Amino acid sequence: MKNIITIEDPVEIHLAGINQVSVNADLSFEIILRSILRQDPDIIMMGEIRDQKTAEIAIQAANTGHLVLSTLHTNSCIETISRLKQMNIQQHDLIACLRLIVSQRLLRKKCTICSEKKSSFDCECEAGYKGRFGLFEILTFE
């Protein structure tokens, strides 16, 4: 059985079999991440890498054999690398630990009812759109 630990701000959905830790005023991502590395988890899921210290610890965890999954606010896969470099993560560390970057965009779906009627006046959608779908950019490293 895999030892999976999440660090979230806040924990929104409680999942059985997964150790979840919520960030608060006293427990930052950095403090929690340092603490959970002592428990030798197989997989670490972090809500977001926001600062240099958190990025450094996440990279250290990845370089010591942990699978680290996280988010980073950028506009594309390539910008993720630039953002980590801005956080002073060394290029050799990025090469050693990055395996996959996924960038996502959510796009509005055209309302099928309006599309068929050619009018949105009789529909409850929002200006001809209803729902969303994901568009993904994937960058892999071998």
Side-chain angles (χ1 to χ4, degrees):
M1 182 167 192
K2 298 278 185 191
N3 180 8
I4 302 172
I5 299 179
T6 70
I7 306 170
E8 303 175 64
D9 183 17
V11 172
E12 294 177 10
I13 300 171
H14 295 277
L15 302 168
I18 295 179
N19 301 306
Q20 296 172 277
V21 181
S22 189
V23 174
N24 61 41
D26 297 323
L27 294 172
S28 66
F29 278 103
E30 175 189 351
I31 291 169
I32 295 168
L33 191 52
R34 283 188 192 278
S35 176
I36 66 172
L37 284 175
R38 293 184 199 109
Q39 299 174 29
D40 196 30
D42 298 305
I43 301 171
I44 301 168
M45 298 170 60
M46 298 174 51
E48 180 183 353
I49 295 176
R50 297 179 182 170
D51 56 56
Q52 180 179 346
K53 279 291 181 195
T54 305
E56 288 172 351
I57 297 167
I59 294 294
Q60 177 187 357
N63 279 335
T64 56
H66 300 89
L67 175 60
V68 179
L69 307 170
S70 186
T71 61
L72 191 66
H73 289 278
T74 60
N75 290 319
S76 70
C77 289
I78 294 297
E79 286 183 37
T80 300
I81 296 168
S82 298
R83 180 75 179 109
L84 289 168
K85 284 184 174 183
Q86 289 171 355
M87 291 183 183
N88 293 323
I89 302 302
Q90 299 299 311
Q91 184 168 337
H92 66 278
D93 286 330
L94 293 175
I95 292 168
C97 73
L98 283 179
R99 295 293 173 257
L100 175 73
I101 299 173
V102 178
S103 177
Q104 82 170 14
R105 292 268 184 215
L106 294 176
L107 303 173
R108 298 184 299 175
K109 289 172 74 171
K110 286 211 177 242
C111 177
T112 55
I113 297 169
C114 292
S115 298
E116 292 171 4
K117 291 182 180 178
K118 307 291 188 234
S119 169
S120 62
F121 295 114
D122 299 329
C123 190
E124 296 178 9
C125 67
E126 296 180 29
Y129 295 95
K130 188 166 185 155
R132 297 189 210 184
F133 67 96
L135 181 65
F136 301 92
E137 173 188 14
I138 299 172
L139 180 59
T140 59
F141 301 89
E142 297 292 324

